[in-house]
Amino acid sequence: MMWQDFVFMLGSGLSIVFLAPTLRDSNARVPLGTSLPSMGIGFVYSLTFVTLGMTFSAAGAFAAGSMWSLIALFRSPQGVSMNPFARENLALFVSDLRYWLARRRSDRSFAEQYVSFDRSAGHGNPR
């Protein structure tokens, strides 16, 4: 066994330990925008490690991806939604995409896109 395989497995194991309280807390709410990409990364890493012959790392990454799957399923603010293509989910995605594209096309600098201003106060102070 390569020592790197052990290190990656240990890292994945620690992430599972750190994620367990989130899964156990019935009041925890983790946005799908956080849990779904993390789940995908875990599964992609798992597949990548398998192709490199790093079976322990692959198992750890798969376990971490599975933990994120459970968090997405049980701890998302919307509750359990088994249909990611539901009309309201697609409408929200399209709305977010339009908003993001509009901000990208604005004359503001790249860094200013991510600063929110309180225009109701009559001055451009960041919130």
Side-chain angles (χ1 to χ4, degrees):
M1 172 170 71
M2 299 184 299
W3 66 271
Q4 293 93 340
D5 195 15
F6 179 73
V7 169
F8 286 128
M9 180 193 65
L10 184 63
S12 295
L14 283 174
S15 70
I16 292 167
V17 168
F18 296 140
L19 289 172
T22 301
L23 191 56
R24 295 183 69 207
D25 182 4
S26 62
N27 293 321
R29 294 291 172 246
V30 179
L32 290 175
T34 299
S35 55
L36 293 179
S38 299
M39 173 191 71
I41 289 168
F43 291 142
V44 168
Y45 280 6
S46 178
L47 181 64
T48 304
F49 286 136
V50 164
T51 63
L52 292 172
M54 301 172 73
T55 54
F56 292 111
S57 298
F62 185 82
S66 298
M67 183 68 102
W68 278 110
S69 299
L70 293 172
I71 289 172
L73 185 63
F74 295 113
R75 298 296 175 240
S76 69
Q78 295 84 14
V80 177
S81 174
M82 298 308 282
N83 185 3
F85 299 107
R87 191 163 70 190
E88 55 274 352
N89 292 344
L90 285 177
L92 181 60
F93 173 76
V94 169
S95 171
D96 287 346
L97 182 62
R98 284 182 184 160
Y99 177 74
W100 181 80
L101 289 173
R103 289 186 75 172
R104 295 280 297 163
R105 291 181 186 143
S106 73
D107 294 333
R108 293 168 35 183
S109 74
F110 181 74
E112 288 176 348
Q113 296 181 60
Y114 301 101
V115 176
S116 177
F117 290 97
D118 183 5
R119 303 207 188 280
S120 64
H123 46 77
N125 292 336
R127 285 190 212 176

